[in-house]
mmCIF file of all heavy atoms in Angstrom:
data_model
loop_
_atom_site.group_PDB
_atom_site.id
_atom_site.type_symbol
_atom_site.label_atom_id
_atom_site.label_comp_id
_atom_site.label_asym_id
_atom_site.label_seq_id
_atom_site.Cartn_x
_atom_site.Cartn_y
_atom_site.Cartn_z
ATOM 1 N N GLN A 4 -0.361 6.498 3.158
ATOM 2 C CA GLN A 4 -1.606 7.169 3.510
ATOM 3 C C GLN A 4 -1.328 8.609 3.949
ATOM 4 O O GLN A 4 -2.120 9.504 3.688
ATOM 5 C CB GLN A 4 -2.300 6.407 4.646
ATOM 6 C CG GLN A 4 -2.983 5.130 4.221
ATOM 7 C CD GLN A 4 -3.808 4.543 5.354
ATOM 8 O OE1 GLN A 4 -3.305 4.256 6.422
ATOM 9 N NE2 GLN A 4 -5.103 4.396 5.115
ATOM 10 N N LYS A 15 -7.655 20.983 -0.625
ATOM 11 C CA LYS A 15 -8.989 21.281 -0.048
ATOM 12 C C LYS A 15 -10.060 20.293 -0.497
ATOM 13 O O LYS A 15 -11.254 20.609 -0.513
ATOM 14 C CB LYS A 15 -9.404 22.722 -0.379
ATOM 15 C CG LYS A 15 -8.447 23.768 0.171
ATOM 16 C CD LYS A 15 -8.931 25.172 -0.145
ATOM 17 C CE LYS A 15 -7.947 26.215 0.400
ATOM 18 N NZ LYS A 15 -8.373 27.592 0.112
ATOM 19 N N PHE A 22 -12.386 15.200 8.602
ATOM 20 C CA PHE A 22 -11.621 13.949 8.568
ATOM 21 C C PHE A 22 -11.395 13.420 9.989
ATOM 22 O O PHE A 22 -11.606 12.221 10.257
ATOM 23 C CB PHE A 22 -10.295 14.174 7.857
ATOM 24 C CG PHE A 22 -9.484 12.921 7.647
ATOM 25 C CD1 PHE A 22 -9.940 11.909 6.821
ATOM 26 C CD2 PHE A 22 -8.265 12.752 8.280
ATOM 27 C CE1 PHE A 22 -9.196 10.743 6.632
ATOM 28 C CE2 PHE A 22 -7.514 11.604 8.105
ATOM 29 C CZ PHE A 22 -7.985 10.591 7.284
ATOM 30 N N GLY A 64 2.948 21.172 7.117
ATOM 31 C CA GLY A 64 3.915 20.093 7.054
ATOM 32 C C GLY A 64 3.282 18.778 6.670
ATOM 33 O O GLY A 64 2.052 18.622 6.700
ATOM 34 N N TYR A 98 3.139 15.624 32.115
ATOM 35 C CA TYR A 98 4.070 16.023 31.061
ATOM 36 C C TYR A 98 3.839 15.135 29.843
ATOM 37 O O TYR A 98 2.995 14.222 29.886
ATOM 38 C CB TYR A 98 5.525 15.917 31.541
ATOM 39 C CG TYR A 98 5.987 14.513 31.855
ATOM 40 C CD1 TYR A 98 6.747 13.799 30.927
ATOM 41 C CD2 TYR A 98 5.671 13.885 33.067
ATOM 42 C CE1 TYR A 98 7.179 12.514 31.191
ATOM 43 C CE2 TYR A 98 6.093 12.598 33.333
ATOM 44 C CZ TYR A 98 6.851 11.917 32.405
ATOM 45 O OH TYR A 98 7.267 10.639 32.678
ATOM 46 N N SER A 121 -1.884 -4.582 30.525
ATOM 47 C CA SER A 121 -1.542 -3.722 31.651
ATOM 48 C C SER A 121 -0.035 -3.631 31.850
ATOM 49 O O SER A 121 0.634 -4.652 32.016
ATOM 50 C CB SER A 121 -2.212 -4.256 32.927
ATOM 51 O OG SER A 121 -1.911 -3.450 34.027
ATOM 52 N N THR A 131 -6.091 -6.471 30.747
ATOM 53 C CA THR A 131 -6.468 -5.073 30.744
ATOM 54 C C THR A 131 -7.823 -4.897 31.411
ATOM 55 O O THR A 131 -8.707 -5.756 31.282
ATOM 56 C CB THR A 131 -6.533 -4.521 29.300
ATOM 57 O OG1 THR A 131 -7.273 -3.303 29.280
ATOM 58 C CG2 THR A 131 -7.169 -5.507 28.344
ATOM 59 N N ALA A 154 -2.364 -1.777 17.087
ATOM 60 C CA ALA A 154 -2.323 -2.498 15.818
ATOM 61 C C ALA A 154 -3.717 -2.634 15.211
ATOM 62 O O ALA A 154 -3.894 -2.466 13.997
ATOM 63 C CB ALA A 154 -1.700 -3.877 16.022
ATOM 64 N N ASP A 169 7.566 -1.589 22.253
ATOM 65 C CA ASP A 169 8.054 -2.953 22.036
ATOM 66 C C ASP A 169 9.168 -3.250 23.016
ATOM 67 O O ASP A 169 10.218 -2.628 22.999
ATOM 68 C CB ASP A 169 8.561 -3.097 20.598
ATOM 69 C CG ASP A 169 8.798 -4.544 20.186
ATOM 70 O OD1 ASP A 169 9.525 -5.260 20.919
ATOM 71 O OD2 ASP A 169 8.259 -4.955 19.156
ATOM 72 N N THR A 170 8.920 -4.230 23.896
ATOM 73 C CA THR A 170 9.931 -4.676 24.859
ATOM 74 C C THR A 170 10.489 -6.035 24.461
ATOM 75 O O THR A 170 11.699 -6.247 24.455
ATOM 76 C CB THR A 170 9.333 -4.742 26.281
ATOM 77 O OG1 THR A 170 8.764 -3.477 26.610
ATOM 78 C CG2 THR A 170 10.386 -5.099 27.321
ATOM 79 N N ASP A 206 13.062 -1.792 26.329
ATOM 80 C CA ASP A 206 11.916 -0.973 25.905
ATOM 81 C C ASP A 206 12.274 -0.136 24.686
ATOM 82 O O ASP A 206 13.305 0.530 24.654
ATOM 83 C CB ASP A 206 11.498 -0.011 27.030
ATOM 84 C CG ASP A 206 10.765 -0.699 28.164
ATOM 85 O OD1 ASP A 206 10.297 -1.829 27.971
ATOM 86 O OD2 ASP A 206 10.648 -0.074 29.256
ATOM 87 N N LEU A 222 9.265 7.363 11.637
ATOM 88 C CA LEU A 222 10.562 7.069 12.259
ATOM 89 C C LEU A 222 11.499 8.270 12.161
ATOM 90 O O LEU A 222 12.155 8.641 13.144
ATOM 91 C CB LEU A 222 11.192 5.846 11.599
ATOM 92 C CG LEU A 222 12.549 5.386 12.149
ATOM 93 C CD1 LEU A 222 12.421 4.930 13.590
ATOM 94 C CD2 LEU A 222 13.143 4.279 11.281
ATOM 95 N N ASP A 248 20.258 -3.358 -1.448
ATOM 96 C CA ASP A 248 21.668 -3.746 -1.586
ATOM 97 C C ASP A 248 21.991 -5.061 -0.886
ATOM 98 O O ASP A 248 23.161 -5.428 -0.761
ATOM 99 C CB ASP A 248 22.571 -2.647 -1.001
ATOM 100 C CG ASP A 248 22.490 -1.364 -1.815
ATOM 101 O OD1 ASP A 248 22.381 -1.441 -3.046
ATOM 102 O OD2 ASP A 248 22.505 -0.273 -1.193
ATOM 103 N N LYS A 269 5.651 -22.803 8.794
ATOM 104 C CA LYS A 269 6.948 -23.319 8.342
ATOM 105 C C LYS A 269 6.996 -23.424 6.826
ATOM 106 O O LYS A 269 7.969 -22.966 6.197
ATOM 107 C CB LYS A 269 7.186 -24.692 8.973
ATOM 108 C CG LYS A 269 8.504 -25.339 8.528
ATOM 109 C CD LYS A 269 8.702 -26.689 9.193
ATOM 110 C CE LYS A 269 9.989 -27.343 8.719
ATOM 111 N NZ LYS A 269 10.221 -28.641 9.407
ATOM 112 N N GLY A 283 18.388 -14.242 -6.943
ATOM 113 C CA GLY A 283 19.841 -14.167 -6.939
ATOM 114 C C GLY A 283 20.457 -13.806 -5.597
ATOM 115 O O GLY A 283 21.667 -13.524 -5.530
ATOM 116 N N GLU A 285 21.707 -14.852 -1.904
ATOM 117 C CA GLU A 285 22.147 -16.058 -1.206
ATOM 118 C C GLU A 285 21.390 -16.204 0.116
ATOM 119 O O GLU A 285 21.231 -15.238 0.862
ATOM 120 C CB GLU A 285 23.649 -15.976 -0.922
ATOM 121 C CG GLU A 285 24.229 -17.237 -0.307
ATOM 122 C CD GLU A 285 25.722 -17.133 -0.060
ATOM 123 O OE1 GLU A 285 26.277 -16.011 -0.206
ATOM 124 O OE2 GLU A 285 26.329 -18.164 0.287
ATOM 125 N N THR A 309 11.063 -5.272 35.677
ATOM 126 C CA THR A 309 9.718 -4.764 35.982
ATOM 127 C C THR A 309 9.478 -4.730 37.488
ATOM 128 O O THR A 309 8.801 -3.830 37.995
ATOM 129 C CB THR A 309 8.632 -5.584 35.264
ATOM 130 O OG1 THR A 309 7.457 -4.779 35.137
ATOM 131 C CG2 THR A 309 8.265 -6.858 35.989
ATOM 132 N N LEU A 313 8.394 -1.112 38.872
ATOM 133 C CA LEU A 313 7.055 -0.928 39.447
ATOM 134 C C LEU A 313 7.067 -0.817 40.967
ATOM 135 O O LEU A 313 6.013 -0.690 41.573
ATOM 136 C CB LEU A 313 6.124 -2.080 39.015
ATOM 137 C CG LEU A 313 5.782 -2.129 37.525
ATOM 138 C CD1 LEU A 313 4.723 -3.197 37.252
ATOM 139 C CD2 LEU A 313 5.307 -0.774 37.018
ATOM 140 N N ARG A 324 -5.124 4.309 46.146
ATOM 141 C CA ARG A 324 -4.560 3.840 47.405
ATOM 142 C C ARG A 324 -5.651 3.114 48.197
ATOM 143 O O ARG A 324 -6.779 3.610 48.313
ATOM 144 C CB ARG A 324 -4.051 5.047 48.191
ATOM 145 C CG ARG A 324 -3.413 4.735 49.552
ATOM 146 C CD ARG A 324 -3.083 6.054 50.239
ATOM 147 N NE ARG A 324 -2.488 5.869 51.551
ATOM 148 C CZ ARG A 324 -1.194 5.983 51.799
ATOM 149 N NH1 ARG A 324 -0.346 6.250 50.813
ATOM 150 N NH2 ARG A 324 -0.730 5.836 53.019
ATOM 151 N N GLU A 328 -4.168 -1.096 57.992
ATOM 152 C CA GLU A 328 -4.033 -0.712 59.404
ATOM 153 C C GLU A 328 -2.759 0.077 59.645
ATOM 154 O O GLU A 328 -2.671 0.871 60.589
ATOM 155 C CB GLU A 328 -4.053 -1.963 60.289
ATOM 156 C CG GLU A 328 -5.416 -2.660 60.310
ATOM 157 C CD GLU A 328 -5.431 -3.851 61.261
ATOM 158 O OE1 GLU A 328 -4.396 -4.062 61.945
ATOM 159 O OE2 GLU A 328 -6.457 -4.538 61.325
ATOM 160 N N LEU A 330 1.225 1.472 57.440
ATOM 161 C CA LEU A 330 1.800 1.789 56.133
ATOM 162 C C LEU A 330 2.162 0.537 55.342
ATOM 163 O O LEU A 330 1.906 0.439 54.138
ATOM 164 C CB LEU A 330 3.037 2.674 56.306
ATOM 165 C CG LEU A 330 3.667 3.226 55.015
ATOM 166 C CD1 LEU A 330 2.649 4.081 54.249
ATOM 167 C CD2 LEU A 330 4.907 4.045 55.328
ATOM 168 N N ILE A 365 20.616 -17.240 38.878
ATOM 169 C CA ILE A 365 19.632 -17.007 37.820
ATOM 170 C C ILE A 365 19.879 -15.691 37.073
ATOM 171 O O ILE A 365 20.109 -15.685 35.870
ATOM 172 C CB ILE A 365 18.190 -17.014 38.408
ATOM 173 C CG1 ILE A 365 17.921 -18.344 39.138
ATOM 174 C CG2 ILE A 365 17.176 -16.808 37.296
ATOM 175 C CD1 ILE A 365 16.590 -18.387 39.852
ATOM 176 N N ASP A 374 24.770 -11.502 26.870
ATOM 177 C CA ASP A 374 26.017 -11.114 26.213
ATOM 178 C C ASP A 374 26.386 -12.097 25.106
ATOM 179 O O ASP A 374 26.858 -11.708 24.030
ATOM 180 C CB ASP A 374 27.155 -11.046 27.243
ATOM 181 C CG ASP A 374 26.997 -9.883 28.220
ATOM 182 O OD1 ASP A 374 26.239 -8.950 27.915
ATOM 183 O OD2 ASP A 374 27.620 -9.930 29.301
ATOM 184 N N SER A 377 24.080 -11.467 22.087
ATOM 185 C CA SER A 377 24.521 -10.276 21.355
ATOM 186 C C SER A 377 25.773 -10.557 20.532
ATOM 187 O O SER A 377 25.881 -10.131 19.368
ATOM 188 C CB SER A 377 24.774 -9.140 22.352
ATOM 189 O OG SER A 377 25.126 -7.954 21.674
ATOM 190 N N ILE A 389 21.011 -9.568 6.227
ATOM 191 C CA ILE A 389 19.676 -9.523 6.833
ATOM 192 C C ILE A 389 19.370 -10.887 7.431
ATOM 193 O O ILE A 389 19.778 -11.925 6.884
ATOM 194 C CB ILE A 389 18.604 -9.182 5.766
ATOM 195 C CG1 ILE A 389 18.686 -7.712 5.368
ATOM 196 C CG2 ILE A 389 17.196 -9.530 6.236
ATOM 197 C CD1 ILE A 389 18.169 -6.732 6.395
ATOM 198 N N PRO A 393 10.033 -15.988 10.919
ATOM 199 C CA PRO A 393 8.601 -15.799 11.189
ATOM 200 C C PRO A 393 8.443 -14.882 12.394
ATOM 201 O O PRO A 393 9.350 -14.748 13.202
ATOM 202 C CB PRO A 393 8.114 -17.217 11.506
ATOM 203 C CG PRO A 393 9.182 -18.139 11.000
ATOM 204 C CD PRO A 393 10.461 -17.381 11.102
ATOM 205 N N ILE A 402 -9.508 -15.763 22.085
ATOM 206 C CA ILE A 402 -9.587 -14.970 23.307
ATOM 207 C C ILE A 402 -9.901 -15.892 24.491
ATOM 208 O O ILE A 402 -10.805 -16.716 24.427
ATOM 209 C CB ILE A 402 -10.647 -13.863 23.168
ATOM 210 C CG1 ILE A 402 -10.170 -12.817 22.162
ATOM 211 C CG2 ILE A 402 -10.951 -13.209 24.507
ATOM 212 C CD1 ILE A 402 -11.191 -11.737 21.843
ATOM 213 N N LEU A 440 6.292 -11.646 8.457
ATOM 214 C CA LEU A 440 7.721 -11.924 8.500
ATOM 215 C C LEU A 440 8.426 -10.844 9.310
ATOM 216 O O LEU A 440 8.007 -9.679 9.301
ATOM 217 C CB LEU A 440 8.309 -11.917 7.091
ATOM 218 C CG LEU A 440 7.895 -13.006 6.121
ATOM 219 C CD1 LEU A 440 8.434 -12.677 4.735
ATOM 220 C CD2 LEU A 440 8.392 -14.366 6.569
ATOM 221 N N ASP A 445 21.668 -5.473 11.468
ATOM 222 C CA ASP A 445 22.562 -5.172 12.576
ATOM 223 C C ASP A 445 22.194 -3.807 13.179
ATOM 224 O O ASP A 445 21.461 -3.021 12.591
ATOM 225 C CB ASP A 445 24.013 -5.161 12.079
ATOM 226 C CG ASP A 445 25.014 -5.437 13.193
ATOM 227 O OD1 ASP A 445 24.589 -5.594 14.358
ATOM 228 O OD2 ASP A 445 26.213 -5.509 12.883
#
Side-chain angles (χ1 to χ4, degrees):
Q4 285 188 302
K15 300 182 181 180
F22 185 65
Y98 65 99
S121 180
T131 163
D169 193 306
T170 305
D206 286 343
L222 181 64
D248 294 323
K269 178 179 179 178
E285 185 179 9
T309 203
L313 293 187
R324 180 185 179 102
E328 292 183 4
L330 187 60
I365 303 175
D374 291 341
S377 183
I389 286 287
I402 291 175
L440 293 171
D445 204 358

